[in-house]
Amino acid sequence: MKIQLLLTSDEVTIICEDGGIACIREAVPIDKDTPRIATSDYYQSRITDMDLSLIVDNDDECIDIWSLLAEGKIYHDDWEDKPFNSLFVINKALIWLGHNPDECVITEESLFPSVF
């Protein structure tokens, strides 16, 4: 399975060639009794199941991939002691998306160039 990783200073977005997507980012504790340093969001919807022609970015309207993904279910994990960019957390996201991390190959090319 080819995967694309989009990295920023506080987030990793995992995009799979089958359309699966997850975002892992730095996070603050929920409250004093619920620590966390990162959180993972897993989107049930797949990019391959979406009508990408709906994506519009102009002055009159802005519909992006995140708006389309938000229409479906989202699940999350909070990480008390794992940073957002740890291999452990990235592997957990790949497993949630239905892939064996050992069989994934990171590609530098955009898997969905019209979106990312």
Side-chain angles (χ1 to χ4, degrees):
M1 171 68 53
K2 285 185 185 178
I3 64 168
Q4 178 185 0
L5 299 178
L6 302 178
L7 307 170
T8 67
S9 63
D10 62 353
E11 183 175 274
V12 175
T13 301
I14 301 167
I15 304 160
C16 302
E17 70 181 329
D18 68 355
I21 189 163
C23 295
I24 310 160
R25 66 185 180 286
E26 286 184 343
V28 297
I30 296 172
D31 58 40
K32 66 180 177 127
D33 298 321
T34 314
R36 69 176 177 176
I37 61 171
T39 190
S40 298
D41 294 329
Y42 314 109
Y43 294 90
Q44 183 168 324
S45 300
R46 300 219 174 234
I47 297 170
T48 51
D49 296 334
M50 298 180 173
D51 181 356
L52 299 181
S53 69
L54 296 174
I55 295 176
V56 177
D57 188 11
N58 59 41
D59 293 336
D60 298 328
E61 107 185 274
C62 180
I63 300 173
D64 60 14
I65 190 67
W66 305 110
S67 298
L68 294 176
L69 286 167
E71 292 178 6
K73 291 184 180 179
I74 185 173
Y75 303 89
H76 78 277
D77 277 325
D78 288 325
W79 305 100
E80 293 180 16
D81 59 354
K82 303 283 190 247
F84 74 96
N85 57 356
S86 76
L87 189 56
F88 178 86
V89 174
I90 292 169
N91 284 345
K92 285 292 189 179
L94 289 168
I95 291 167
W96 191 95
L97 291 167
H99 305 297
N100 179 342
D102 294 332
E103 296 174 1
C104 293
V105 177
I106 299 172
T107 181
E108 292 185 23
E109 69 184 70
S110 177
L111 297 175
F112 298 92
S114 65
V115 181
F116 298 102

